[in-house]
Amino acid sequence: MSLPSDPSLLVLHGLRLKGFADTERLADAVGLDLAEVLAPLDAFAAEALVSHREGRLTGWSLTTRGRDELGRCLAEELAATGDRGIVDDAYRRFMALNPELLIVCTDFQVRGEVVNDHLDTDYDASVVDRLADLHERVEPVCADLAKVLDRFGGYTDRLGAALARVRAGEHEWFTKPLIDSYHTVWFELHEDLLATLGIDRAEEHR
């Protein structure tokens, strides 16, 4: 049975995945009401686990102390499932697909040495077909993760929604940052796996 995450943990973890977010965007990202996010944020700020910035860009981010606390909580959560092996295996399968995703994204943005102007619809369609094939192969990875931890449950739908918009000709949903583009969601899934397993991205390929 999939383990649901504590709402407070979801708030900290959401900031890890987003890097920086205002309250509304964070609430939407973690699937909680605004009030359910505000109370933990205020408590975390009092403990110096998160910081708030005002100005042209207003929002929240994790402090170093908050990142360490999140790592401890995620390790405890994963241990409570008793299924670390499933997550480890899903991570290895995901990483086998990751280089292909990066190549597909690059091929959609650039043709040879020039920016893709998207005038060649046959070329774009061939790249989108490759993305769709990759999506079919990552779906079982997401499904296995969702069986262990409930917070992994949204990735299949988010990736599928981005793919549908790309197929509909909305090119920005392939790689554009700051929206739930395919690359954005994929990157968050990668970061989620690293955080869950306690792997430092800088040390990942050693």
Side-chain angles (χ1 to χ4, degrees):
M1 185 174 180
S2 181
L3 180 71
S5 297
D6 182 272
S8 293
L9 175 59
L10 288 177
V11 172
L12 274 185
H13 190 50
L15 284 179
R16 163 77 186 261
L17 299 182
K18 293 298 181 185
F20 180 84
D22 61 30
T23 311
E24 291 78 9
R25 183 171 177 236
L26 179 60
D28 182 62
V30 299
L32 297 173
D33 293 334
L34 203 58
E36 294 178 288
V37 172
L38 278 171
L41 283 173
D42 287 340
F44 292 146
E47 299 176 52
L49 301 180
V50 302
S51 62
H52 188 256
R53 185 171 72 192
E54 297 278 356
R56 187 174 63 85
L57 291 176
T58 297
W60 300 87
S61 60
L62 281 181
T63 63
T64 300
R65 182 177 175 184
R67 191 180 179 95
D68 291 342
E69 176 63 12
L70 173 63
R72 184 189 66 78
C73 292
L74 291 176
E76 288 183 354
E77 180 186 60
L78 182 57
T81 70
D83 287 322
R84 182 185 176 95
I86 294 176
V87 180
D88 275 325
D89 179 67
Y91 168 71
R92 286 192 293 271
R93 289 153 57 204
F94 174 85
M95 288 306 295
L97 299 174
N98 193 53
E100 187 173 343
L101 183 277
L102 299 178
I103 292 171
V104 170
C105 287
T106 299
D107 288 349
F108 195 72
Q109 295 174 306
V110 179
R111 294 191 64 182
E113 297 181 357
V114 298
V115 175
N116 183 12
D117 57 15
H118 303 294
L119 295 179
D120 187 337
T121 56
D122 288 340
Y123 174 83
D124 277 5
S126 70
V127 181
V128 173
D129 284 345
R130 288 160 55 199
L131 181 67
D133 175 71
L134 184 62
H135 180 73
E136 288 183 4
R137 286 179 282 144
V138 82
E139 281 185 309
V141 176
C142 295
D144 287 346
L145 288 166
K147 291 174 186 175
V148 177
L149 288 165
D150 191 58
R151 57 184 166 79
F152 280 104
Y155 284 106
T156 298
D157 287 345
R158 291 173 66 202
L159 289 168
L163 175 60
R165 299 189 77 150
V166 171
R167 280 174 157 166
E170 298 179 65
H171 299 153
E172 66 271 24
W173 288 87
F174 209 124
T175 60
K176 186 176 179 178
L178 301 182
I179 63 172
D180 259 11
S181 67
Y182 204 94
H183 181 265
T184 296
V185 179
W186 186 282
F187 181 89
E188 287 187 12
L189 174 56
H190 188 182
E191 189 68 18
D192 204 339
L193 285 164
L194 293 175
T196 300
L197 293 169
I199 300 170
D200 188 325
R201 184 181 284 270
E203 302 294 325
E204 183 174 34
H205 298 294
R206 291 193 178 183

